[in-house]
Amino acid sequence: PGTLPADLPPLGPDDVRGPIQPTQVHIPDGLDWASFAVWLSALLHARGEDLVRVKGVVRTPAGRLLLQTVRKVVQSPEILPDQGDARSDNVIVFIGRGYRPEDISRSMQRFLDLPLPLPV
């Protein structure tokens, strides 16, 4: 209380990463989870400063898995109860900047050797 907010400088012309935007990626059934984990880890390692948040619910053989990251930090996966509504299952949202939305899907497709194109 009583503290003034810090003045933030405007983004200069040197910041070419663009605005922060969401990108949805649909995960196909029967995904190889070991390969997916390696891809996501590599993506976060390479682009973790640009990927502000990753979040989704994915159906796995163990049940519905909540997947969450903040920058390069991955939260321990959590198994969720089955709620009967699968509309948001197998969708991961990437929130970040400095990439085109289709780059995320294409990267996953190529790394995991998935058929092209995946719906975005």
Side-chain angles (χ1 to χ4, degrees):
T3 303
L4 295 175
D7 286 330
L8 297 176
L11 292 176
D14 296 336
D15 191 349
V16 296
R17 294 177 295 172
I20 293 175
Q21 61 184 358
T23 301
Q24 282 190 358
V25 174
H26 295 267
I27 305 300
D29 292 331
L31 185 69
D32 178 351
W33 290 107
S35 296
F36 177 79
V38 170
W39 170 77
L40 183 59
S41 296
L43 179 66
L44 292 172
H45 178 75
R47 302 298 302 267
E49 294 306 314
D50 291 330
L51 286 167
V52 178
R53 189 98 158 96
V54 177
K55 188 167 187 168
V57 176
V58 183
R59 289 229 175 241
T60 71
R64 298 174 70 235
L65 180 76
L66 174 62
L67 175 68
Q68 299 188 88
T69 75
V70 177
R71 301 249 183 231
K72 294 182 178 185
V73 178
V74 179
Q75 177 183 334
S76 295
E78 177 182 341
I79 300 295
L80 300 174
D82 195 351
Q83 297 177 337
D85 183 3
R87 287 181 294 175
S88 63
D89 287 0
N90 289 348
V91 176
I92 297 178
V93 178
F94 294 82
I95 301 172
R97 62 182 176 181
Y99 58 86
R100 296 175 307 170
E102 60 270 16
D103 293 342
I104 299 284
S105 291
R106 190 177 310 113
S107 169
M108 186 178 76
Q109 289 167 338
R110 288 184 179 165
F111 190 90
L112 301 176
D113 196 28
L114 297 173
L116 297 174
L118 277 178
V120 177

